[in-house]
Amino acid sequence: MNNVIETLTNLLTSWGSRDIPLPDLSAYPWFPTALLIVTALFGLIYCFFGFKLMRFLSTLVGFLIGITVGQIVQQNAQFAPPLDLIVPIAAGVLFAILGFFLFRIGIFFVVLLGVFSIVMSLLTEYTKLDETVVAIVAIVIAVILSVLSVVYLRPMVIISTALSGGMTFANELFENVVHIRWDAQIETIVRLGVGLLLALIGMIYQFRTTRHMKED
């Protein structure tokens, strides 16, 4: 997760977005631990309950996208108070409603964000590719899996969420808790093995517990 944030920040800087105000999190010493716990738990939940949570996640992502769009509109239009708050919130609610009812569109963005994050993290961790190349490869893979998830809804959502969740949990575990210091290759193999094993268990569990669920 830290690799993804750092890479995105470096990319924004290299593309000229140098004036983005970022919060100073150094004042909160508990924040890294809290972020680790939340990310690891989210990985487990995503791995085992990804398909069941898709409508909720679709709504949540729609709200976040709407807030972002509304904020962009507000910054360009320079609305006076209270419109400067109403516009982003209204856009967030509108996009959340769209994400809830236009289920497959929401799934596209949920899978897109999840796959992009984990692929970018893996490539950043295990390859020496340029950050721009990493971002391009990650977005291409994410778009392909997102489209497949819309077309083949249940199987692709289960596979993508189990993989994303399993690898996210493994990355957090071996990056912050368990350290194999004697051999980097063994650490990589163990990390990938744990993530893939967890993903496989998650897929089996999701396929068994969602067989009677409707896709729309």
Side-chain angles (χ1 to χ4, degrees), residues 60-171:
L60 177 61
V61 169
F63 179 76
L64 296 176
I65 292 174
I67 285 283
T68 302
V69 171
Q71 188 62 29
I72 293 173
V73 171
Q74 198 294 120
Q75 288 177 350
N76 284 278
Q78 293 294 317
F79 293 120
L83 285 179
D84 60 334
L85 292 177
I86 293 176
V87 169
I89 294 174
V93 172
L94 175 61
F95 275 76
I97 293 172
L98 291 175
F100 182 85
F101 289 105
L102 301 180
F103 190 40
R104 291 179 187 264
I105 295 177
I107 283 179
F108 176 88
F109 287 106
V110 171
V111 175
L112 182 74
L113 293 175
V115 173
F116 175 79
S117 175
I118 192 63
V119 171
M120 197 166 178
S121 179
L122 289 173
L123 292 179
T124 302
E125 182 74 22
Y126 299 117
T127 70
K128 298 184 181 299
L129 295 174
D130 180 77
E131 291 173 347
T132 303
V133 176
V134 168
I136 293 173
V137 172
I139 194 64
V140 168
I141 295 175
V143 167
I144 292 173
L145 289 180
S146 299
V147 171
L148 290 175
S149 295
V150 172
V151 177
Y152 305 103
L153 185 62
R154 179 169 169 265
M156 285 306 304
V157 166
I158 289 176
I159 291 171
S160 62
T161 57
L163 283 172
S164 296
M167 295 308 302
T168 296
F169 180 83
N171 282 342

